[in-house]
Amino acid sequence: MIPENSQRTALLQYAQIQFGTDPEYPWQNDSDSAVLRQIGNGKWYGLFLVVPYHRLGINQTGSTDLLNVKCDPLAIGSLMQKPGCLPAYHMNKRHWLSLLLDGTLPLTELQFFLAESFQRTAVKRRK
């Protein structure tokens, strides 16, 4: 069952409108995790997960929604200083960033990160 989260819902709608991408739910036993995949090459550009806070190093009970996005490796270090940005959960920490979907980051910023991830995973045109 997908948890109720307005940022998650808004980002899924944004991906559908902006990029024509519908979420995929590839794991039979995990209906909370969704993948956003490039239509042209099949690469992931977004991964939605529900993760216990303690697994993220956050001293809080319960779980939270997060979004993994592909990011500029040179920017990741400075972005992790920002509240709501964490090392990628379950992905390559050099190229991916986890974003909390708990209201810490504004929706417009989350949309920016998702759009950047979409661009980073797009089919590269040959010169």
Side-chain angles (χ1 to χ4, degrees):
M1 179 83 148
I2 299 171
E4 291 297 321
N5 181 308
S6 61
Q7 285 187 321
R8 178 187 177 122
T9 301
L11 288 167
L12 289 171
Q13 290 172 347
Y14 175 79
Q16 208 290 317
I17 292 166
Q18 288 296 119
F19 313 119
T21 308
D22 290 318
E24 297 177 20
Y25 299 91
W27 299 283
Q28 287 182 345
N29 296 333
D30 185 1
S31 60
D32 293 334
S33 297
V35 172
L36 295 175
R37 189 184 301 263
Q38 287 279 353
I39 294 169
N41 60 19
K43 289 183 178 181
W44 293 7
Y45 69 92
L47 172 61
F48 290 88
L49 300 161
V50 177
V51 180
Y53 280 109
H54 70 84
R55 290 194 132 182
L56 301 171
I58 299 172
N59 189 18
Q60 189 171 333
T61 59
S63 297
T64 186
D65 272 292
L66 61 85
L67 169 63
N68 282 346
V69 292
K70 193 159 190 181
C71 197
D72 178 357
L74 298 175
I76 287 180
S78 61
L79 287 171
M80 284 194 296
Q81 304 305 311
K82 185 179 183 82
C85 296
L86 303 168
Y89 181 78
H90 205 62
M91 299 290 277
N92 182 319
K93 290 165 182 41
R94 183 171 170 218
H95 296 279
W96 290 80
L97 183 69
S98 287
L99 307 170
L100 292 177
L101 302 181
D102 63 356
T104 303
L105 294 164
L107 181 59
T108 54
E109 196 167 352
L110 294 168
Q111 290 170 331
F112 171 82
F113 282 119
L114 190 58
E116 181 181 327
S117 185
F118 181 84
Q119 292 301 318
R120 289 190 164 280
T121 58
V123 174
K124 305 293 188 246
R125 298 196 193 277
R126 292 187 170 194
K127 293 182 180 178

